[in-house]
Amino acid sequence: MNKTIEKIVSLCKQRGFVYQSSDIYGGFGAVYDYGPLGVELKNNIANYWWKEMTRNHENIVGLDSGILMHPKIWEASGHIGEFHDPLVDCKQCKSRYRADELTENLENEEWDKFKCPKCGTTGKMTPPRQFNLMFKTEVGALEDSGSTAYLRPETAQGIYVNYKLVQGSTRMKIPFGIAQIGKAFRNEIIARNFIFRTREFEQMEMQYFTKPGDDDKAMEEWKEKRIKFYTNILGVASENLRFHKHEKNELAHYAKEAWDIEYNFPFGWSEVEGIHNRTDFDLKNHENHSGKNLKYFDQENNERYLPYIIETSAGLNRMLLTVLADSYWEDTENSRIVMKLDPKIAPIKAVVCPLVKKDGLPEKARLIVDTLKPHFNVLYDQQGSIGKRYYRQDEAGTPYGVTIDHQTMDDGTVTIRYRDTQKQDRASLENVLNIIQSSLL
Ligand code: ATP
């Protein structure tokens, strides 16, 4: 099977997972909208992440900070000074590239002898130039330099500047973590590969505050926990996942050690999540810029210190692309496309179909929908042949079909159909409920 990004994009549009932004105006660069199935899938992924972080860890709590924050935060964090990509342009064909993606030898590359990967012209490449990736905006009525604010390029800083307040309200002892899900914005110059790199996206970040010296152990723990999330919760095939360690020259300005979880996308292995040891870089800088003491007081040992921070930083949209790519399956034997989404995250858990549109079957099917819908998302469908209805839901990733026929009217049993195998069993409604519910745990 030739799994291409184009096929996934097309299915996403057709079925209502993801649309390009502002479609009727011809689109808007590197922004995407999530349709009826996409928003359910995105919410499910985010909810499982949230549950995994907060409910499953007594020492991790949540936060929801603003997108707009005091502009000094971005000076302190280094984003105003450092947050940019080096770009090169081909003067011949006008293509633009991230210089670090064209060469591993950024510093010493001879750009005037470089061959453009697109048009093949040599000697037309500009030297790298830096572009700041933060979106600027004006706050208040007056447009002067004092009114400039930024749309946050990461959610992490909102956690750092609130960490003392959170610790004060919860009395948590180190090690503890703060989790947040929210929008982030980066004016990416090169946006490609569908929702992989966009200008507006969502991050799911957890910042884990440790005692300096315990940071390496925490890094190991979080690497293991995070990769398991992809296989055990999202159902991603483990052979399509790997770790990539950042070498010294790849490390971000704040990091002591960094690992990426990479997925084998149709366009190659690429980062989905970063796990970084940010040391006390951010808290130290916020102390300096705000003049506030951000040290943690360890009562037991009567000592004060700035914690080290291990961050797990995932893009919700990239995670969604990961599960879409991983679950896309062309079942050539049966001429159908199936999104083999794990039932836990599938947008719709079951389609409920009356076999025919008469003899009281639709009414009965509606009653069954009413029984199931308090438990999970179900869809009622009476449109078209039963086979067509099933195939439509295979493309939507719906793991179960529940069909109501004449026998249902006699003994209350229904047919349950399994998406991947197309196997069908006769079962009581209670059994169906149990089967579906147990697949969601
Ligand atoms: P990249 O090298 O791909 O630009 P990054 O190393 O800058 O990513 P981080 O700053 O570590 O990424 O952000 C953490 C996570 O946020 C990434 O692993 C990714 O999942 C997500 N992310 C970052 N930038 C984007 C973007 N422009 N669009 C979608 N997701 C993004």
Side-chain angles (χ1 to χ4, degrees):
M1 170 179 68
N2 184 14
K3 199 189 277 193
T4 63
I5 197 75
E6 289 75 23
K7 287 181 182 173
I8 295 169
V9 173
S10 146
L11 181 130
C12 278
K13 181 174 181 185
Q14 234 174 0
R15 285 286 155 242
F17 282 101
V18 184
Y19 310 123
Q20 71 166 338
S21 161
S22 319
D23 193 58
I24 60 167
Y25 287 93
F28 187 63
V31 183
Y32 288 88
D33 297 340
Y34 291 78
L37 293 180
V39 65
E40 293 284 344
L41 178 59
K42 192 150 68 72
N43 286 345
N44 290 344
I45 296 172
N47 287 340
Y48 272 98
W49 182 90
W50 189 257
K51 193 169 121 191
E52 159 61 16
M53 285 299 176
T54 62
R55 208 187 294 173
N56 290 346
H57 291 94
E58 266 176 34
N59 64 345
I60 300 182
V61 292
L63 178 78
D64 185 10
S65 67
I67 286 171
L68 297 174
M69 293 192 281
H70 198 294
K72 272 197 160 174
I73 287 173
W74 306 113
E75 270 173 44
S77 68
H79 283 86
I80 288 181
E82 304 269 353
F83 199 56
H84 41 57
D85 284 336
L87 299 174
V88 291
D89 292 297
C90 171
K91 284 183 276 187
Q92 184 67 32
C93 70
K94 309 281 180 250
S95 295
R96 178 166 278 180
Y97 305 93
R98 251 173 71 174
D100 58 331
E101 286 183 350
L102 288 186
T103 174
E104 286 182 357
N105 192 13
L106 198 56
E107 303 286 302
N108 303 319
E109 189 60 61
E110 296 186 17
W111 291 102
D112 51 348
K113 296 190 190 144
F114 207 87
K115 186 172 166 191
C116 173
K118 192 165 171 208
C119 68
T121 313
T122 303
K124 290 282 182 190
M125 210 59 103
T126 64
R129 287 174 296 183
Q130 304 291 355
F131 282 80
N132 196 293
L133 293 182
M134 279 199 293
F135 281 101
K136 264 190 205 161
T137 187
E138 305 294 331
V139 175
L142 289 178
E143 282 193 25
D144 59 33
S145 62
S147 67
T148 300
Y150 300 91
L151 303 188
R152 66 179 176 200
E154 62 176 25
T155 59
Q157 299 301 327
I159 295 181
Y160 303 148
V161 298
N162 278 295
Y163 117 94
K164 282 285 261 195
L165 290 171
V166 172
Q167 199 268 329
S169 347
T170 56
R171 326 271 337 136
M172 283 191 302
K173 292 196 174 66
I174 272 179
F176 67 85
I178 304 177
Q180 168 158 237
I181 301 178
K183 290 249 174 172
F185 301 83
R186 297 183 187 176
N187 193 5
E188 302 277 7
I189 307 294
I190 298 163
R192 62 165 94 100
N193 291 332
F194 194 33
I195 54 173
F196 180 81
R197 186 182 305 286
T198 51
R199 300 202 167 108
E200 177 177 342
F201 57 100
E202 276 170 89
Q203 286 189 316
M204 304 192 288
E205 296 197 304
M206 193 282 297
Q207 309 291 327
Y208 199 69
F209 298 78
T210 69
K211 191 171 178 174
D214 293 347
D215 50 320
D216 291 341
K217 202 175 107 233
M219 175 63 135
E220 283 313 304
E221 268 172 33
W222 281 105
K223 271 175 62 193
E224 197 182 317
K225 283 184 178 172
R226 290 310 303 148
I227 197 121
K228 274 198 184 142
F229 181 80
Y230 289 81
T231 50
N232 298 2
I233 305 289
L234 303 180
V236 175
S238 54
E239 66 267 24
N240 288 332
L241 291 164
R242 71 177 188 197
F243 276 112
H244 162 77
K245 186 176 188 200
H246 285 220
E247 297 307 328
K248 268 227 144 40
N249 61 350
E250 289 177 85
L251 281 177
H253 60 277
Y254 52 74
K256 166 181 156 187
E257 186 184 350
W259 294 80
D260 294 337
I261 294 179
E262 292 187 337
Y263 179 75
N264 188 10
F265 288 101
F267 46 83
W269 288 94
S270 308
E271 167 182 347
V272 185
E273 171 161 354
I275 304 159
H276 310 132
N277 184 342
R278 297 180 73 132
T279 68
D280 57 1
F281 175 89
D282 300 275
L283 294 182
K284 204 184 328 181
N285 283 328
H286 286 307
E287 249 195 8
N288 289 339
H289 282 73
S290 68
K292 296 278 168 12
N293 177 0
L294 296 180
K295 293 190 182 58
Y296 169 81
F297 179 50
D298 178 349
Q299 266 177 333
E300 271 161 41
N301 300 306
N302 198 26
E303 57 175 334
R304 287 174 200 278
Y305 59 85
L306 279 179
Y308 265 32
I309 294 171
I310 304 297
E311 103 174 326
T312 71
S313 175
L316 175 51
N317 319 75
R318 269 192 206 177
M319 215 183 257
L320 187 138
L321 184 60
T322 303
V323 299
L324 288 176
D326 208 62
S327 60
Y328 182 92
W329 174 46
E330 287 170 2
D331 178 5
T332 39
E333 218 170 283
N334 297 296
S335 312
R336 59 175 190 150
I337 293 171
V338 186
M339 295 302 277
K340 286 175 133 189
L341 291 169
D342 190 291
K344 289 197 282 302
I345 55 169
I348 302 165
K349 309 303 180 194
V351 59
V352 178
C353 306
L355 189 62
V356 288
K357 272 194 267 185
K358 54 181 188 184
D359 305 334
L361 298 192
E363 291 75 14
K364 181 74 184 165
R366 290 270 183 209
L367 287 176
I368 288 176
V369 166
D370 288 343
T371 312
L372 298 179
K373 77 179 178 197
H375 303 279
F376 39 75
N377 200 16
V378 293
L379 178 83
Y380 174 82
D381 189 4
Q382 60 172 33
Q383 224 46 262
S385 77
I386 192 73
K388 280 220 178 88
R389 281 181 264 171
Y390 285 153
Y391 274 28
R392 259 201 306 268
Q393 291 310 309
D394 291 343
E395 291 190 3
T398 307
Y400 303 101
V402 176
T403 302
I404 284 76
D405 55 19
H406 291 96
Q407 193 182 331
T408 314
M409 306 305 269
D410 295 337
D411 64 9
T413 61
V414 296
T415 306
I416 179 164
R417 180 234 188 213
Y418 298 87
R419 175 194 64 200
D420 301 348
T421 55
Q422 302 206 72
K423 204 174 132 246
Q424 303 195 13
D425 288 332
R426 196 92 211 160
S428 70
L429 192 58
E430 200 189 333
N431 258 344
V432 166
L433 187 60
N434 282 339
I435 291 168
I436 302 180
Q437 268 182 324
S438 60
S439 72
L440 306 181
L441 294 174

